[in-house]
Amino acid sequence: FIIELLPLAVLLVDYNAIISQPRLLADFESIGQTSRWNRGETIQLTSTQKKNHHHSVLKVKLGTQRYEGTSLGYFPRNWADANNFHAEVFNADKRPEELHVKIDDLTAIKLGNPYSERFNSSQRLTPGWNTIDIPTPLIREGPADRRMDLTQIFSVTLFFVDRQQPGYMLIDNLRLE
């Protein structure tokens, strides 16, 4: 019986972490955070990988399909009081890669998620750890013909397009500043 309650306990611990730290989207230091992503697994960093990072990160294996990445679908939705979206991504490739960041609000999802209705950005990642900082006013102005509703952010997706070879990325410290 207790084993059957374990998934519920994990969700409650994760929910409490979201409530107590509303600007933290994911740092992979509390149990349950990985379940909010559609792909990836939490791994422990080695001492040489850590640098300024916590012990745990999300590792996302990448193939060569057209779009390869992962999406965060459960997190604090109201970004109106934030100035910046921050993320740290490790590029495991030996050459620079182009990471795409897609952020949807509820309206974009209701309209079928067309490219013109969401925020889209490309970030050039050098080999190793990279910092991504996107000002929220830029996110608000992302859709072509309207302003994004920063009180109703629905999803964050990090992905690559047409990778030449399989690999992986590590994700850590997603937060609002």
Side-chain angles (χ1 to χ4, degrees):
F1 174 73
I2 292 175
I3 292 175
E4 293 174 358
L5 292 177
L6 192 58
L8 178 60
V10 168
L11 289 175
L12 288 174
V13 168
D14 189 45
Y15 180 75
N16 186 52
I18 290 171
I19 297 301
S20 66
Q21 299 179 10
R23 290 190 174 259
L24 178 65
L25 303 179
D27 69 358
F28 309 102
E29 297 302 317
S30 68
I31 191 166
Q33 285 193 24
T34 304
S35 66
R36 293 191 256 143
W37 294 80
N38 72 337
R39 291 185 60 213
E41 64 178 323
T42 301
I43 64 163
Q44 301 295 312
L45 290 177
T46 64
S47 58
T48 57
Q49 291 174 314
K50 279 185 190 172
K51 299 205 179 194
N52 295 325
H53 298 272
H54 300 292
H55 298 295
S56 301
V57 297
L58 185 71
K59 180 179 183 178
V60 180
K61 293 179 182 176
L62 303 167
T64 57
Q65 287 81 8
R66 176 91 173 134
Y67 302 107
E68 283 288 323
T70 188
S71 294
L72 173 63
Y74 183 74
F75 53 89
R77 305 273 186 217
N78 188 346
W79 294 18
D81 293 334
N83 296 316
N84 192 55
F85 166 78
H86 174 88
E88 295 164 21
V89 179
F90 183 84
N91 173 14
D93 294 335
K94 298 205 183 308
R95 65 179 190 279
E97 290 287 344
E98 199 75 17
L99 177 73
H100 301 274
V101 179
K102 176 177 80 88
I103 300 174
D104 300 298
D105 66 356
L106 191 57
T107 301
I109 298 302
K110 287 180 178 178
L111 293 172
N113 197 16
Y115 187 87
S116 64
E117 291 296 331
R118 61 190 195 218
F119 171 80
N120 301 285
S121 175
S122 296
Q123 306 286 324
R124 185 166 179 81
L125 300 183
T126 58
W129 282 105
N130 295 263
T131 299
I132 297 170
D133 286 304
I134 303 171
T136 51
L138 190 63
I139 295 169
R140 184 180 53 245
E141 301 301 324
D145 297 323
R146 66 179 182 88
R147 287 184 157 200
M148 182 167 286
D149 184 353
L150 293 179
T151 67
Q152 294 291 320
I153 300 299
F154 189 82
S155 67
V156 175
T157 304
L158 306 175
F159 66 98
F160 297 90
V161 178
D162 296 328
R163 286 181 54 84
Q164 299 300 307
Q165 60 190 18
Y168 70 91
M169 71 173 156
L170 303 177
I171 302 171
D172 197 14
N173 297 323
L174 280 86
R175 64 181 180 265
L176 301 173
E177 300 174 325

